[in-house]
Amino acid sequence: MDKKLEQLKEEYKNVPIPKELDEIIMKALPQKKKKKHLYIWPAGAAAAAMLLTVMVNFSPSAAHAMSKVPFMKGIVEVITFNEFKEEKNNTSISVKTPAISGLENKTLEGSLNEKYLEESKKLYEEFTAANKNGHLAIDSDFEVVTDTPHLLSIRRSIETIQASGYVQNRYVTIDKENQSLITLKSLFKDDQYVKVISENIKEQMKQQMKADPNKIYFLTDEDVEPFTQIDPNQQFYISDDHILVISFDEYEVAPGYMGAVEFKIPTEVISDILAGDRYIH
């Protein structure tokens, strides 16, 4: 089983990855101050504890062990590359690693899948490092959140529980017809989108707090890190009804009890700065 896993990993590594694409995907995993970003992978001696339930059919030798989650009308699929669970010394980990299969753009497919593998590897390394002190739980899963004739959006969620819980959501959005990765910046004519979207989000925050006193966002100077504007590579997805949705990790713009929050950006607010109406309209 370990040999098959290593074989598949080697196949991914042999796919040429353009520097520009690599930088775009890495920027989609931003580092935040004062928070550890925990990512995972079972390797070496710890592999014996891994429950490898599903393998990808990127090679004939692994085809028989593949589990498929269809979404692109039988052409492209999101599949579970592997799933593993382990408990030790008051620590636990449960992770599903997604993989994309069936894209004609094998460079993009290989790059994204390698990133998923690296995330899982780092998460497992965090888990093993915590075994000495204990009291850590990591849970990661994924789902297809958008599936239209043009678009595919995949959300990978990572929840880390130590003294308290911390949820991160990571999105990948693909143009299924053009076989290309969609970035937030690519949706707009220029960098104005950062200010325009940020101002709309702040207005939504104020309206929500006014309507519901239980909702709190970090907007004032009294907050340690008040929200001022989105990151140019802020996590996002495009909904089935072609609306841009901006996503924030837990604690990023609100107290922990608010969880990971997201905001739908009205299309009329950004219509003048969109690069086109193929995705958002």
Side-chain angles (χ1 to χ4, degrees), residues 33-203:
K33 293 184 287 186
K34 300 181 181 180
K35 298 183 179 74
K36 285 187 177 180
H37 289 266
L38 305 177
Y39 307 106
I40 67 188
W41 188 237
M50 180 183 72
L51 175 61
L52 181 58
T53 57
V54 191
M55 303 292 287
V56 198
N57 66 335
F58 292 139
S59 66
S61 62
H64 66 283
M66 180 184 64
S67 175
K68 302 179 180 180
V69 181
F71 61 83
M72 279 194 196
K73 306 202 178 352
I75 299 176
V76 182
E77 297 164 325
V78 174
I79 46 188
T80 301
F81 180 75
N82 63 38
E83 179 180 1
F84 56 90
K85 299 180 181 180
E86 185 177 345
E87 294 184 12
K88 185 178 181 180
N89 298 333
N90 294 316
T91 62
S92 65
I93 188 168
S94 176
V95 171
K96 289 183 180 179
T97 304
I100 300 168
S101 173
L103 284 177
E104 294 178 8
N105 185 342
K106 294 303 178 184
T107 299
L108 175 60
E109 180 181 288
S111 298
L112 293 172
N113 290 336
E114 181 66 21
K115 294 302 179 185
Y116 283 139
L117 284 170
E118 287 304 314
E119 287 176 0
S120 293
K121 179 179 179 179
K122 291 177 182 178
L123 279 175
Y124 194 81
E125 289 172 350
E126 292 286 346
F127 166 72
T128 54
N131 281 340
K132 296 179 181 179
N133 300 321
H135 306 293
L136 173 68
I138 298 173
D139 184 86
S140 181
D141 206 342
F142 68 92
E143 65 176 314
V144 174
V145 294
T146 299
D147 178 18
T148 72
H150 298 303
L151 293 172
L152 169 73
S153 286
I154 307 165
R155 173 169 58 220
R156 187 177 197 188
S157 61
I158 302 170
E159 181 177 13
T160 305
I161 302 174
Q162 204 158 21
S164 60
Y166 175 42
V167 177
Q168 301 168 277
N169 290 319
R170 295 291 172 261
Y171 293 88
V172 167
T173 297
I174 298 171
D175 182 326
K176 297 196 292 187
E177 289 189 341
N178 293 327
Q179 302 274 304
S180 60
L181 178 71
I182 300 173
T183 65
L184 186 59
K185 185 175 183 178
S186 70
L187 295 170
F188 298 94
K189 299 175 182 177
D190 51 42
D191 292 340
Q192 289 186 66
Y193 74 92
V194 173
K195 181 179 179 180
V196 173
I197 292 175
S198 299
E199 291 304 311
N200 179 261
I201 288 175
K202 284 190 278 189
E203 187 60 34

Side-chain angles (χ1 to χ4, degrees), residues 150 241-243 267 274 277-281:
H150 298 303
D241 52 355
H242 307 286
I243 301 297
T267 301
L274 286 170
D277 60 0
R278 174 179 174 82
Y279 307 122
I280 300 172
H281 51 263

